[in-house]
Structures are given as structure tokens and as C-alpha cells.
Amino acid sequence: PLAYGSADLWILIGMAFAPTRRVETGIAAMTSKDASQEATRKAIETLRQAPILVTGAAGFIGSNFVRRVLGSSARRVVVLDNLTYAGSLENLQDLPGEPRLRFVRGDIGDGSAVAALLAAEVPAAVVNFAAETHVDRSIAGPQDFVVTNVVGTQALLDACRRHGTPRVVHIG
């Protein structure tokens, strides 16, 4: 079982927030050769203030991750969830009116919708909890699992790559 105060969860939160050296180097390279260090510093700070996109966050584990993020940082969180059998807005009901939280109903397999969301929000990271779960359901209907867990994840990753999302954390 997942312990929600564990070091592993804090490491995951840190990974989603911290710009990597590669990202910082990429930002520096994108600025002109004559750009000041101040311009580079501002670009890095913008990335640090960008929201994170959490997919599948209306599920049990994803919603607890969202609570941790909101409770431990000033960052905005954008939730993308399709609200299937595993996701429910009731899992986020204790966060009504939270100004740093935005809920978007959608499917990670809908590449154009994900692309539009990435373009609008420009997240610093995407944390993917979206998945079909429960072994008994996979036996009864394996196609749903392939569509969401494989094809949907690929669509999400493709959109992130096209939009230059600097960090994707996949929870599997």
C-alpha cells in the first residue's frame, strides 16, 4: 500500500516541480547569445511558477497527490480526468473553491484536446495517473485497458513532446 507521507511521494512531488539541469540549459540556449543572465533567470522562474497537469486525478491516488501538491506549494494544479468508473469528483469535493485548482473533463487519448490544454496551460510537468484498473475488469474487457493504458498514454506523451513539456512523470 502507498503511504501518503512517505519519502517516495515527496520525491515524486519534487520531481514534478524541479526544473532539470537539461531544461535550464535548454532555456539558456533558447535565449539569444547576447541575452543577459537576468533573461535566463526569468525564463527559469517562469517555468518554476507554471502549473502542473495531473491526469487521472479524480481517482483515489491521484486526488491524494493533488491534495499534497496544493498543501505543500503555491503551484496551480490542472486536473484532466475522464470520470470513468475509477474517477469521481467526490474525490476532490473537499477542494471546492480552491483557486489554484482547475478541473477539465477529458480523455488522455484525445490528442487534440490534450494539445489544446497543454497550449493553454503550458505546464511545467505532467503527472499521469490516468489508467484503467482492476484485474477483473481487464479479463472481462481487455480492449479498454489497451486503449487507455497504452494508446491513451502514447497520445499524451506525443502531445507533451510536441508542446515541449519539460517533464512527464508516469505512474504505472
Side-chain angles (χ1 to χ4, degrees), residues 5-18 65 167 169:
S6 71
D8 291 341
L9 186 61
W10 286 110
I11 289 169
L12 177 62
I13 292 170
M15 287 172 52
F17 288 170
F65 178 77
R167 176 141 320 177
V169 179

Side-chain angles (χ1 to χ4, degrees), residues 7 9 33 38 42 69 91 97 139 165:
L9 186 61
K33 291 182 181 180
E38 179 65 16
K42 284 182 180 178
V69 171
N91 289 327
I139 294 167
T165 304

Side-chain angles (χ1 to χ4, degrees), residues 22 30 41 71 142 149 169:
R22 180 174 166 220
M30 287 188 295
R41 187 194 64 73
N149 299 358
V169 179

Side-chain angles (χ1 to χ4, degrees), residues 29-143:
M30 287 188 295
T31 59
S32 71
K33 291 182 181 180
D34 298 329
S36 67
Q37 287 183 341
E38 179 65 16
T40 301
R41 187 194 64 73
K42 284 182 180 178
I44 292 169
E45 189 58 31
T46 298
L47 180 63
R48 286 187 176 134
Q49 293 175 5
I52 63 168
L53 172 62
V54 184
T55 65
F60 176 74
I61 297 172
S63 63
N64 280 284
F65 178 77
V66 168
R67 276 187 206 80
R68 280 286 185 185
V69 171
L70 292 172
S72 65
S73 75
R75 235 183 240 274
R76 286 188 330 102
V77 175
V78 179
V79 169
L80 175 65
D81 201 294
N82 204 21
L83 297 179
T84 63
Y85 65 91
S88 171
L89 286 178
E90 291 179 14
N91 289 327
L92 299 168
Q93 72 181 355
D94 59 320
L95 300 170
E98 168 59 62
R100 295 174 297 139
L101 179 65
R102 176 182 175 208
F103 178 82
V104 177
R105 185 169 186 170
D107 187 338
I108 63 169
D110 184 347
S112 60
V114 172
L117 186 58
L118 291 172
E121 294 291 346
V122 192
V126 172
V127 181
N128 181 29
F129 288 95
E132 298 291 332
T133 59
H134 303 90
V135 173
D136 55 337
R137 292 180 63 88
S138 72
I139 294 167
Q143 183 174 357

